[in-house]
Amino acid sequence: MLRRIGILAVAALTAACLTGAPPVTADEGPEQIPNGTFDTTADPWWHTSNLDFELSGGRLCTNVPGGTVNPWDAIIGVNDIPLVKDETYAFSFFATADPSKVARAFVQLPTDPYTQYVAAAPEVSVSGNTYSYTFTSPVDLPNAQVVFQIGGSATPWRFCVDNVSLKGGAPPEVYTPDTGPRVRVNQVAYLPKGPKNATLVTGATSALPWQLKNSAGAVVAHGSTTPRGVDDSSGQNVHSIDFGSYVKAGTGYTLTADGETSRPFDIKPDAYASLKLDALKFYYTQRSGIAIDDALRPGYGRPAGHVDVAPNQGDKNVPCQPGVCDYRLDVSGGWYDAGDHGKYVVNGGISVAQIMSEFERTKNAPTAKPIGSLNIPESGDAVPDVLDEARWEQEFLLKMQRPDGMVHHKIHDENWTGLPLLPHLDPQKRELHPVSTAATLNLAATAAQAARIFAPYDAAFAAKNLAAAKKAWTAAKANPNLLASPSDGNGGGTYDDAKVSDEFYWAAAELYITTGEKEYKDFVLASPHHTADLWSKSGVFDWGNVAALGRLDLATVPNELPGRAAVRQSVVDGAERYLGVVKAHPYGLPFDPGNYFWGSNSAVLNNTVVLGAAYDITGTVKYRDAAIEAIDYLLGRNALNQSYVTGYGEVASKNEHSRWYAHSLDTSLPNPPHGTLAGGPNSDIQDPVAQAKLKGCKPQFCYIDDIGSYATNEEAINWNSALSWVSAFIADQGDGTVKAPGACKVTYTTHGSWPTGFTTQITIENTGTKAVDGWKLQWSFLGGQKIDHSWSANFSQQAATVTAENETWNKTIKPGQSVVIGYNGLGAPGANPSPDLITLNGAACST
Ligand code: 9MR
């Protein structure tokens, strides 16, 4: 097939020379493939002896025999392609497969070890597609090879290829992001009664006027900017704008300053209700081991991944890496970690913990509201959907535990695969990697948490988790320093962690909260992490630093730890630190690490969790407002003027790195679902796309919405869990009106307990100035406790949550007066602390 691209490229080059303007980009550089169009000949292409060439319809075709084992058992290729170090290349080709198959396309070293400079594994269809990749060559090499590996199929098939192109050898292009208007806002919405802040990029050093306009263009508020100087995170001179005094709801507002008008935004009550759900719905389409039902996620249906159906080798009977073990495990299920098909216990651990904490917050935080339907296969059962989703992962984590209690660190492909590649089409061998102390303690922590949370819904599952948690704890103590290897990174991430004392602390904290047992209490109190300052400006916690997960739960989940008031106060101290960072930052985020790092967006969110938790503990509105302000950064108030959440904001990330949401590589695949968070700016730019485009970037600019940029633009389960927690927190603030505490004091005293039960007396005092006329008292048990027999109120129970409503005779509580009620409860395994949160007619009482 004749191509006109060469002529276009010459035209582009000429235009560039004439204007003296932009340097050539990789795909305008010289063509390096000697004959990629196969118009009259296949020369100088070669094939392995089991293939032959046929020129058919302007394409190069070959009939691939069945019965080969490895991809490299059948190859077509071309030699002697020159590569120049640090230069950027665009590699592309058109291919068809009949029947459709995954083919491998590599630009590589021609001899052992066949180092691949670009490796793609597109799923090639009968009608065919064009596949395009860019990479920066790490070497000077006169004789690289371009090969298509097409072996490994049990049955015969036909492969055709055309327009094979490798262009480049020109200097890397200078990439300039389109950052739009210089007024930066949250492009989704501000809450009517919440904070409203924006940032103006300008050369001006003194205050400038700003105007807020409604959708009709009328000015509804105005004021002056505050000059903030040069911001280190962006290198920009900026001003901040505070328009929080404007409280009227509406859509299509804009903010104008310095002759620039922002992208439009809303001021809207309940603006975060859909993000709260979408951020969690993300997990269903990350599931492994189950077909994704297109009726539940239109456009996202796909066959089950890794269930032992060819070409998958499956997760139901997985061997270890050679020499690591001699058994096999069924480790099917769980969530895929990110854009890859790996499953890693330490990252699954933090993710499922954070989602369970989001649920647990609904039992303990005054403003928290139920989470609602996620439209998953389990919707409609007796368990909240958020817990059904968490259980999908927790069941997988349990499967990673060996009989001796130790837990395998990870399971993934033997070798890295290319993009795109749907989960059910991954042909790689799956392998278990060695057990580690960190993975074992992740299971101890999450299983302990699951044991208390699932107790009211499924006592057997709760008991199974508690047993697994205790066994993991004992095993970790016996093997306290089995570390995952930092070099075990072929085919999957390493998730190596040289320090596990924080994992010990987190596991002990969860085991203590759930059981109340002395061993765990003593461990928590003796751990240096218990009193350490955890509130780093860069990031409070991540998959490798988990002490704050323990500290936050000790502070926010009821327990009787000695010195608990100091634990709660330490979270407030942390929030005070992050509040200071928000106030000092002209972009208003609680994150100030100097250079940004991989997954920075999740660090912004996890620091925000501390602000939210402090508000839950104290009701102090400045912490809540800082948490609400923090989300502005992720939704557009940033140097790039874009939202990092797919489907949210005028200009938003949509090409996150994923093997199955790979729309930009194969238009028959979808983009990531709405509510998917991108990893975010990363100064270390470890991938070839980022290296080609972003060299020398200031931290906030180290991001590109390109599917190839896994270091800045991947999606991941631990990042969406942070988004889920924070978006739920903000959604629960409704229109931003501060919820007043109740004028009541409740004394909740468990007078006695025996092996199967306990007895509790509750005094409700009206501390206000008006009579209470009719009341409903509510609290939640920690675990599986049940009301048995009660007096002086009408008791009912829904899972862990108890409601006690007045009798006719004690309906009225006059100011200063009290009512006493009580009950006998049925005991359940584990601790039975007094609740932190007791509400009277929906408002929190002091306890
Ligand atoms: O989130 C991980 C980040 O902290 C590491 O710096 C990075 C490199 O090791 O790996 C990230 O995790 C990736 C994992 O290794 C493989 N699956 C995708 C994860 C997100 O990019």
Side-chain angles (χ1 to χ4, degrees):
M1 191 183 289
L2 280 170
R3 294 182 312 161
R4 293 176 46 229
I5 299 170
I7 300 164
L8 289 174
V10 172
L13 271 169
T14 315
C17 293
L18 285 178
T19 58
V24 284
T25 58
D27 60 0
E28 291 166 342
E31 179 58 78
Q32 308 291 354
I33 303 285
N35 168 28
T37 53
F38 314 109
D39 296 326
T40 54
T41 172
D43 289 342
W45 287 74
W46 53 264
H47 57 75
T48 48
S49 60
N50 52 352
L51 299 175
D52 49 21
F53 279 156
E54 198 185 294
L55 296 183
S56 165
R59 299 172 181 168
L60 179 69
C61 296
T62 185
N63 294 308
V64 189
T68 61
V69 178
N70 303 298
W72 54 87
D73 292 342
I75 307 179
I76 65 177
V78 65
N79 292 345
D80 298 328
I81 311 296
L83 293 180
V84 178
K85 187 171 187 307
D86 288 339
E87 290 194 351
T88 299
Y89 294 84
F91 176 47
S92 63
F93 55 88
F94 173 87
T96 66
D98 191 6
S100 61
K101 277 264 176 314
V102 173
R104 284 175 172 60
F106 302 136
V107 179
Q108 65 178 24
L109 191 70
T111 52
D112 201 22
Y114 298 100
T115 310
Q116 295 155 3
Y117 309 117
V118 67
E123 184 197 352
V124 182
S125 64
V126 177
S127 55
N129 263 311
T130 296
Y131 300 93
S132 307
Y133 310 89
T134 51
F135 67 100
T136 301
S137 175
V139 289
D140 276 316
L141 186 69
N143 61 337
Q145 266 183 345
V146 171
V147 295
F148 293 93
Q149 293 190 352
I150 48 183
S153 172
T155 50
W157 60 294
R158 184 174 166 85
F159 177 70
C160 297
V161 68
D162 197 7
N163 295 342
V164 185
S165 169
L166 182 71
K167 283 186 174 177
E173 77 186 88
V174 176
Y175 167 73
T176 315
D178 176 4
T179 54
R182 288 183 284 104
V183 185
R184 305 294 156 75
V185 297
N186 175 333
Q187 295 172 21
V188 174
Y190 297 90
L191 304 183
K193 307 279 175 54
K196 295 172 201 75
N197 296 280
T199 300
L200 168 70
V201 180
T202 175
T205 48
S206 47
L208 295 169
W210 59 260
Q211 296 177 318
L212 176 69
K213 293 180 187 164
N214 65 18
S215 57
V219 175
V220 294
H222 59 91
S224 282
T225 65
T226 305
R228 304 291 294 268
V230 175
D231 161 43
D232 288 341
S233 68
S234 62
Q236 299 163 326
N237 188 66
V238 289
H239 294 194
S240 53
I241 296 171
D242 181 348
F243 59 108
S245 57
Y246 187 79
V247 297
K248 197 164 162 215
T251 58
Y253 287 100
T254 55
L255 202 54
T256 300
D258 199 19
E260 297 264 317
T261 295
S262 75
R263 290 186 173 139
F265 57 87
D266 297 346
I267 297 179
K268 203 166 136 187
D270 298 320
Y272 290 84
S274 67
L275 183 57
K276 170 175 172 172
L277 295 177
D278 283 345
L280 283 173
K281 285 182 173 178
F282 162 92
Y283 290 92
Y284 174 49
T285 48
Q286 286 293 123
R287 286 191 193 182
S288 179
I290 185 174
I292 305 306
D293 184 350
D294 203 68
L296 297 177
R297 290 292 183 283
Y300 291 91
R302 58 170 171 82
H306 299 95
V307 287
D308 300 3
V309 174
N312 275 175
Q313 301 198 33
D315 286 359
K316 296 195 171 196
N317 191 24
V318 180
C320 282
Q321 281 175 307
V324 167
C325 75
D326 55 7
Y327 50 84
R328 289 170 173 257
L329 291 182
D330 174 355
V331 291
S332 56
W335 300 317
Y336 295 117
D337 188 57
D340 60 331
H341 301 140
K343 302 189 290 192
Y344 312 85
V345 169
V346 297
N347 208 44
I350 175 180
S351 309
V352 76
Q354 198 159 27
I355 284 173
M356 288 193 285
S357 290
E358 180 180 340
F359 170 79
E360 214 162 21
R361 181 177 173 271
T362 66
K363 295 166 66 175
N364 301 316
T367 60
K369 297 185 182 127
I371 292 168
S373 171
L374 302 179
N375 208 18
I376 54 178
E378 299 82 4
S379 293
D381 68 8
V383 181
D385 284 1
V386 61
L387 292 186
D388 283 321
E389 193 57 67
R391 182 171 179 160
W392 188 263
E393 179 70 2
Q394 187 57 30
E395 296 268 18
F396 158 72
L397 297 179
L398 290 166
K399 290 179 178 177
M400 293 289 277
Q401 188 174 35
R402 288 197 311 212
D404 71 349
M406 293 299 287
V407 177
H408 285 278
H409 197 70
K410 54 181 188 163
I411 176 248
H412 58 69
D413 291 337
E414 183 180 20
N415 294 299
W416 281 108
T417 56
L419 278 68
L421 184 61
L422 281 156
H424 69 287
L425 296 176
D426 171 16
Q428 286 278 323
K429 181 181 172 199
R430 307 278 279 178
E431 288 176 337
L432 284 163
H433 292 244
V435 297
S436 72
T437 310
T440 305
L441 290 165
N442 265 262
L443 181 71
T446 60
Q449 189 180 9
R452 63 177 183 262
I453 290 176
F454 283 91
Y457 305 100
D458 185 339
F461 183 61
K464 181 179 175 185
N465 274 283
L466 188 56
K470 289 186 164 185
K471 194 169 187 178
W473 173 259
T474 306
K477 286 194 73 177
N479 300 278
N481 212 24
L482 284 181
L483 303 179
S485 163
S487 54
D488 186 15
N490 196 28
T494 55
Y495 283 113
D496 59 299
D497 182 357
K499 190 177 89 230
V500 295
S501 57
D502 52 324
E503 278 80 5
F504 270 106
Y505 174 68
W506 176 33
E510 297 301 340
L511 278 157
Y512 170 69
I513 294 169
T514 300
T515 66
E517 286 169 19
K518 183 174 183 309
E519 175 183 356
Y520 311 117
K521 175 172 79 180
D522 291 348
F523 192 98
V524 163
L525 293 175
S527 167
H529 295 286
H530 191 52
T531 46
D533 179 346
L534 303 175
W535 322 111
S536 154
K537 287 179 181 181
S538 51
V540 58
F541 58 85
D542 59 31
W543 58 264
N545 297 284
V546 294
L549 294 177
R551 184 86 68 82
L552 284 163
D553 275 2
L554 287 168
T556 58
V557 180
N559 66 79
E560 287 163 1
L561 190 73
R564 180 153 181 259
V567 177
R568 280 162 81 79
Q569 181 58 41
S570 81
V571 173
V572 180
D573 294 345
E576 198 60 37
R577 168 104 34 95
Y578 294 123
L579 172 67
V581 181
V582 168
K583 293 288 159 223
H585 203 302
Y587 278 103
L589 61 160
F591 177 69
D592 192 11
N595 277 339
Y596 282 22
F597 47 81
W598 199 310
S600 65
N601 282 342
S602 71
V604 175
L605 287 162
N606 286 334
N607 294 355
T608 306
V609 167
V610 180
L611 288 160
Y615 178 62
D616 290 343
I617 291 170
T618 60
T620 305
V621 178
K622 62 182 179 176
Y623 303 136
R624 182 200 79 148
D625 283 356
I628 298 173
E629 182 173 351
I631 199 108
D632 296 343
Y633 166 80
L634 292 163
L635 299 178
R637 186 191 176 195
N638 55 52
L640 289 173
N641 197 5
Q642 67 145 87
S643 158
Y644 290 106
V645 181
T646 302
Y648 285 82
E650 282 283 306
V651 176
S653 300
K654 57 178 187 298
N655 297 313
E656 285 98 332
H657 180 84
S658 160
R659 280 166 178 69
W660 57 102
Y661 304 132
H663 183 79
S664 60
L665 299 177
D666 177 346
T667 50
S668 70
L669 295 172
N671 286 112
H674 285 195
T676 300
L677 179 71
N682 172 8
S683 307
D684 300 325
I685 53 170
Q686 292 97 328
D687 64 75
V689 173
Q691 282 164 8
K693 302 261 168 95
L694 305 174
K695 261 200 188 111
C697 51
K698 289 280 180 194
Q700 280 204 47
F701 284 99
C702 299
Y703 170 82
I704 183 164
D705 184 26
D706 184 307
I707 192 165
S709 183
Y710 50 83
T712 79
N713 197 33
E714 192 154 353
E715 49 107 335
I717 55 174
N718 59 320
W719 303 339
N720 250 74
S721 60
L723 179 66
S724 302
W725 198 103
V726 171
S727 55
F729 177 85
I730 297 176
D732 291 348
Q733 309 309 316
D735 73 351
T737 302
V738 174
K739 195 171 171 180
C744 46
K745 180 171 167 52
V746 175
T747 313
Y748 181 105
T749 314
T750 297
H751 284 297
S753 52
W754 52 95
T756 55
F758 57 99
T759 184
T760 299
Q761 180 175 297
I762 302 167
T763 305
I764 312 161
E765 184 190 339
N766 179 352
T767 56
T769 50
K770 279 191 243 147
V772 172
D773 188 26
W775 47 267
K776 190 161 102 170
L777 197 75
Q778 275 191 314
W779 73 91
S780 295
F781 289 129
L782 178 77
Q785 292 79 11
K786 286 202 178 74
I787 301 290
D788 184 19
H789 164 75
S790 61
W791 51 93
S792 304
N794 296 301
F795 280 67
S796 59
Q797 185 172 356
Q798 175 75 33
T801 301
V802 181
T803 304
E805 289 182 84
N806 65 273
E807 303 277 8
T808 338
W809 57 266
N810 60 10
K811 181 168 176 250
T812 306
I813 317 175
K814 291 194 181 134
Q817 290 194 339
S818 298
V819 163
V820 179
I821 65 173
Y823 70 93
N824 287 341
L826 296 177
N832 183 23
S834 299
D836 289 338
L837 175 68
I838 304 177
T839 60
L840 185 73
N841 296 338
C845 298
S846 67
T847 50

